[in-house]
Amino acid sequence: MKKSILITGGAGFIGSHVVKLFVSKYKDYQIVNLDALTYAGNLENLKEIEGAPNYTFVKADIKDADSLASLFESHKITDVIHLAAESHVDRSISDPLAFVMTNVIGTVNLLNVAKEAWEGELDQHLFYHVSTDEVYGSLHDDSFFLETTAYDPQSPYSASKASSDHFVRAYANTYKMRTVVSNCSNNYGPNHFPEKLIPLCIYNIKNNKPLPVYGKGENVRDWLFVKDHARAIDTVFHQGKSGETYNIGGFNEWKNIDIVRLLCEKMDQKLGRTEGTSEKLITYVTDRAGHDHRYAIDATKIQKELGWEPSLQFEEGIEITIDWYLANQDWLDHVTSGSYKDYYQDLYENR
Ligand code: NAD
Ligand code: DAU
């Protein structure tokens, strides 16, 4: 059967890298990118492949079951890689219901439509759900998240992603759908919306604006270059075992304050500023409510069983990332106009 893969959320940060990888690498697959184009979705992320003969974009919402059903029919969808989601923790604190609607209801809608479209041949199709390490909760010792670690989500965002993971596994168990789930650590790289720590700091350093560090900046995240996550998704899609979960991570833990300092140092060099100039922009602000202390992924399973590992060292990846933002001022101007300004003011003005 010729593959016709539905990738949801393909206009977002990670989704756009997955779409670009699949469209250019697998010319005999049809890639259908479904995205509602919320504030986080941006077709400019896909310029390189927009005219490719094996690529179609469809603007639709995963909450809309009728649109999904007709798309499965018209494009004869054989497999799903599901990335569409509300993805920002701070937004989930201000509006939890939006996260339930998209991440939980939207995912269940998609599962239902896939189940109906694939009735009688569920063993021939794959539903791949892309999830996060945040479902495992917050680490307070030096241990790591394993695939067997019990779920303990702490924010409305991670609770909604945990719920969607449970639904995917429930459909595998109950209806015998072929599913696979991967849980990845923090991504960074080109096309990252500048509400997240790394692109926000790059943008603010460039524009001499304060760098808001939550609490004392002691929280720890494990960072992975986005193209390495896209490669991992390719690996899991093609080689992952049905019903399995794969943790994906960078083996690359950093305290937030150390990342912010590194960005200041590198950007001072690139912008020709005197050493120490940008560090003066660091501003400690009120901590995120319920802020998870540390995330750290043990990615041994995907390494040993599927042969995936990160291709880039962080030093290299962060250089590529900063250079991309400095060279793509138009992209930044477009995404930081309009509603971004209101969001930024609401969130940071009185912190
Ligand atoms: P993003 O916010 O950049 O992109 C999300 C995309 O989904 C956008 O294009 C948006 O328009 C689309 N979308 C949102 N609601 C939709 C809806 N109702 N219907 C259709 N499309 C909709 O997110 P991201 O950072 O690229 O994350 C993608 C996925 O990967 C998410 O499921 C997220 O939970 C997961 N993830 C992200 C990270 C990370 O560090 N960013 C790490 C691990 C897992
Ligand atoms: O771990 C994977 C997750 O990583 C993904 O599932 C999420 O979709 C993604 O947004 C990301 O979540 P985080 O909350 O870890 O990412 P964020 O970039 O928002 O924050 C990273 C750390 O930096 C976190 O400890 C909060 C802190 N922070 C963040 C912002 C936006 C600041 O100190 N200041 C800021 O302005």
Side-chain angles (χ1 to χ4, degrees):
M1 195 188 328
K2 197 174 167 218
K3 285 200 184 300
S4 176
I5 305 172
L6 175 65
I7 300 183
T8 70
F13 169 47
I14 301 169
S16 61
H17 288 279
V18 175
V19 167
K20 284 184 276 195
L21 177 67
F22 272 68
V23 167
S24 53
K25 186 168 171 188
Y26 300 107
K27 303 269 193 268
D28 53 335
Y29 293 177
Q30 278 301 317
I31 303 299
V32 180
N33 170 13
L34 177 147
D35 198 296
L37 298 182
T38 68
Y39 78 95
N42 185 352
L43 292 177
E44 286 181 44
N45 295 346
L46 295 153
K47 270 189 188 145
E48 295 100 305
I49 49 100
E50 65 190 2
N54 62 336
Y55 172 67
T56 311
F57 172 72
V58 178
K59 183 175 184 301
D61 194 315
I62 56 166
K63 300 194 288 297
D64 176 357
D66 291 343
S67 295
L68 293 179
S70 60
L71 186 138
F72 265 72
E73 167 91 40
S74 57
H75 291 274
K76 306 262 170 296
I77 297 299
T78 57
D79 305 271
V80 171
I81 305 178
H82 176 38
L83 295 107
E86 288 292 340
S87 70
H88 191 36
V89 174
D90 291 323
R91 287 183 190 256
S92 82
I93 294 168
S94 350
D95 185 6
L97 204 50
F99 284 67
V100 175
M101 296 310 290
T102 286
N103 299 359
V104 185
I105 309 282
T107 300
V108 177
N109 253 340
L110 192 56
L111 283 163
N112 280 339
V113 170
K115 180 169 84 65
E116 267 189 28
W118 299 339
E119 190 74 60
E121 47 184 52
L122 279 168
D123 58 333
Q124 294 166 43
H125 305 277
L126 179 67
F127 190 105
Y128 178 178
H129 179 59
V130 175
S131 192
T132 171
D133 61 356
E134 301 201 10
V135 297
Y136 297 121
S138 178
L139 292 167
H140 293 275
D141 54 22
D142 57 2
S143 64
F144 290 83
F145 297 136
L146 292 164
E147 286 80 357
T148 48
T149 301
Y151 275 28
D152 186 19
Q154 300 290 320
S155 73
Y157 164 68
S158 54
S160 70
K161 289 296 290 187
S163 171
S164 63
D165 294 10
H166 288 322
F167 270 104
V168 173
R169 295 192 181 107
Y171 274 58
N173 176 62
T174 310
Y175 308 111
K176 310 300 170 212
M177 268 181 106
R178 277 185 66 224
T179 64
V180 70
V181 177
S182 60
N183 296 83
C184 188
S185 64
N186 286 59
N187 286 214
Y188 71 97
N191 310 101
H192 204 182
F193 193 82
E195 63 185 351
K196 309 279 170 74
L197 181 70
I198 289 182
L200 176 75
C201 286
I202 295 175
Y203 177 72
N204 284 11
I205 292 170
K206 171 128 196 280
N207 294 294
N208 281 305
K209 290 170 72 170
L211 307 176
V213 173
Y214 297 169
K216 295 185 176 139
E218 297 284 320
N219 305 66
V220 175
R221 297 292 182 266
D222 165 10
W223 294 94
L224 176 69
F225 191 61
V226 63
K227 291 188 188 191
D228 277 331
H229 188 191
R231 284 178 45 250
I233 289 173
D234 178 9
T235 304
V236 171
F237 178 79
H238 288 99
Q239 299 173 45
K241 288 203 195 94
S242 176
E244 291 289 318
T245 297
Y246 296 91
N247 279 356
I248 304 168
F251 303 99
N252 178 43
E253 290 180 54
W254 285 76
K255 279 186 189 166
N256 293 338
I257 187 64
D258 294 336
I259 292 258
V260 176
R261 290 207 175 104
L262 178 77
L263 292 171
C264 289
E265 184 193 314
K266 296 226 172 260
M267 288 195 60
D268 278 349
Q269 287 162 12
K270 288 181 193 288
L271 296 170
R273 293 180 183 166
T274 316
E275 200 183 324
T277 306
S278 300
E279 277 214 16
K280 295 194 186 108
L281 298 169
I282 292 176
T283 310
Y284 291 93
V285 296
T286 309
D287 209 353
R288 174 183 279 173
H291 198 170
D292 286 342
H293 176 63
R294 170 175 170 257
Y295 306 142
I297 279 279
D298 182 337
T300 308
K301 178 176 171 180
I302 186 173
Q303 241 184 348
K304 289 233 164 96
E305 292 185 12
L306 307 185
W308 173 89
E309 58 184 14
S311 69
L312 277 188
Q313 295 297 315
F314 188 64
E315 285 279 318
E316 219 180 321
I318 208 73
E319 291 278 345
I320 294 172
T321 304
I322 297 171
D323 289 345
W324 186 87
Y325 280 92
L326 293 179
N328 286 276
Q329 188 58 46
D330 281 358
W331 185 92
L332 260 180
D333 287 345
H334 294 166
V335 301
T336 53
S337 61
S339 59
Y340 174 86
K341 290 209 173 89
D342 302 333
Y343 166 78
Y344 193 84
Q345 236 166 348
D346 277 357
L347 189 71
Y348 293 106
E349 205 156 59
N350 300 312
R351 255 191 122 98

